[in-house]
Structure formats: C-alpha cells, structure tokens
Amino acid sequence: MPKGRSSGKNSVKGTPKRGLPGLRPPKRAGGMSDEDSVNGGDTGSVLSLSSERGSFEEGVENGNSLENEVSESMSNNLEEKLSEWIEGLTEKAASVRLSSLSNLTMSLSSTFLPEALMGRKETLRDNLEKILKRGQRGEQVLASTLLSLLSLQVGAIELDVATEDYNLLKPTLQSLLLDHTAPPLVRVKCCQAISMGAFLADSSLDDITTLLNLLEPLFGLNNAKSKDEEESGSKGEGKVVGKTCGSLGGAAIAGWSLLITLMPAEFLLRKAKR
C-alpha cells in the first residue's frame, strides 16, 4: 500500500505564507502604517511649505513697505536740504557758498530730483549767474558744473525750461569761456556747461553753427581765411592756435563732437570737403 505523505520534522503547521491577499503592512510606532506614512507625510510637507511661503511673502511685503517709507523720508529730507543749500548760495561768507555749491553738486550727481528743482529753478539760476560773474575761482568751477547737472535733470522733463535757462545763462558762460584772463579750469567747466546746455535745449541750427565756430579755434581750427585765400578762392586749412591749454582744447573738441551730431547731413558734407 502507498504510504501517506510525510510532513517532515522541520515542517510547521499553521504558518502563514508571505504575500497572501487581504493582509496590510505592519503598523509603525504610533499606529501609522507604511502606506499611511507616505500619504500623510506628503500632505504634511505641502502644508508646511505653504505656510512657509505665506510667511516669506508676508515678510517681503513688510520689507518693501518699510523700504518705501524710508525712501520717502529720505527724499523729503533731501528736498529740505536742497532748499537750505540754495539759500546758502546768497550768504556773504565764501566758505558757506562753497559748501552749498559742493553739496548741491554731489546731490545732483547721484540723485534724480527734477521735480524738486523745478520749484526753485529761478532762484537757483539767478544765484548761479551771480556767482559766475562775481564769485571766486572755486565757486565759478562748481557753479559751472552745477549748471551742467541742472541742464540734464530739468531737460529730462521740461525742454522749454532747459531752453530758457540756457538762453539766459549763455552770454555769461560764453564771456568766461573766451576770457583769456580767466582761470583755465573755469573756462573748461564753462565750455562743458555751454555745450551741454546747447545740446539739451531747443536751439536752432544757426545757434548750433555759431557755437561750433566758437569752439573750433579752441582745439586748433581757425576758419577765417586770409585775404590771399579769399581773392584766389582757395579754401582755408586748419591753423593751430598755440595759446590754448590742453584741458580746454579737450573740452572744446568734446563739446564740438557732441553738437555736431545735431547737424544735418549737408552740413557734415560741407565740413568734410573743406
């Protein structure tokens, strides 16, 4: 007779096999299974990130608000200082005038404040004109530099005002530019101021041409013809003007190069053929 199948010594009855259906993964400490840990962990991470993002955005908004308040406070304070420095230009003490000019020059070199200048433009212009006419060398240098900055700032928003300022101050600047007894640095700064003012102003082509002819001898060109050249009809060539300082010549050719860009093509062709 066939013998029955032996269970063997190492066989254990009732031991469940792995992978049977209906069995859940073992739970971890705290009563959460591996599956719950994965799903629940993701939800917690999203909530945490959302909370952190909200806190970050709130912090940015608060920081921007504080920055705007500080900027507005600094702007108001600077406008008050501008008024104080403009008034300081009329002081009798030369040291006070010089300090006011220096502060105004530094402020307008780093800060764009055309609106603040517009309300004081006439006072500032009149004070600078007086300094150019009767001030000391250092004051004239700073006043000319300040006029260039004033032209840039005001001309950016009000072309008519920049044109008015230029037309009123041009005679004084031109007089100092052509004054051979004036300090060289004063003439250099006046050359820069008159060139910048003419470039930004609504000037006619005739005015620009006159200024170009004024600047040319300062860097070595003399457009005047001799009698022999006029009679023979030959065209005069550039003549070197020997008593022009190097810095003034550099300022003159820089201003000339700026203004020549405003001229029409016909003018440039005539210049090239000479």
Side-chain angles (χ1 to χ4, degrees), residues 29 62 106 113 131 143 164 171 180 184 201 205 241 248 274:
N62 293 337
M106 288 189 295
L113 292 169
I131 290 175
E164 180 185 357
H180 295 279
L205 293 180
V241 179
L248 179 57
R274 288 175 52 183

Side-chain angles (χ1 to χ4, degrees), residues 141-189:
V141 168
L142 286 174
S144 303
T145 304
L146 190 55
L147 279 177
S148 298
L149 296 171
L150 188 62
S151 298
L152 283 170
Q153 298 226 8
V154 174
I157 62 171
E158 289 290 346
L159 181 60
D160 293 339
V161 175
T163 303
E164 180 185 357
D165 290 345
Y166 168 72
N167 290 330
L168 289 172
L169 293 170
K170 180 175 66 173
T172 303
L173 292 170
Q174 184 172 318
S175 176
L176 280 171
L177 173 61
L178 300 178
D179 184 2
H180 295 279
T181 64
L185 187 55
V186 173
R187 299 179 68 191
V188 167
K189 295 301 181 180

Side-chain angles (χ1 to χ4, degrees), residues 105-163:
T105 301
M106 288 189 295
S107 297
L108 297 186
S109 297
S110 58
T111 311
F112 189 61
L113 292 169
E115 292 83 1
L117 295 172
M118 288 296 294
R120 306 167 181 84
K121 63 181 180 62
E122 293 182 0
T123 302
L124 181 56
R125 183 182 61 207
D126 293 342
N127 292 344
L128 292 176
E129 185 178 14
K130 292 176 182 177
I131 290 175
L132 287 173
K133 289 180 177 180
R134 298 186 291 272
Q136 299 177 2
R137 172 184 174 275
E139 296 176 75
Q140 290 176 322
V141 168
L142 286 174
S144 303
T145 304
L146 190 55
L147 279 177
S148 298
L149 296 171
L150 188 62
S151 298
L152 283 170
Q153 298 226 8
V154 174
I157 62 171
E158 289 290 346
L159 181 60
D160 293 339
V161 175
T163 303

Side-chain angles (χ1 to χ4, degrees), residues 239-269:
K239 295 183 179 180
V240 176
V241 179
K243 293 187 178 180
T244 301
C245 68
S247 56
L248 179 57
I253 197 171
W256 187 91
S257 301
L258 179 66
L259 295 174
I260 200 71
T261 61
L262 301 176
M263 303 305 291
E266 295 79 6
F267 179 86
L268 300 178
L269 288 173

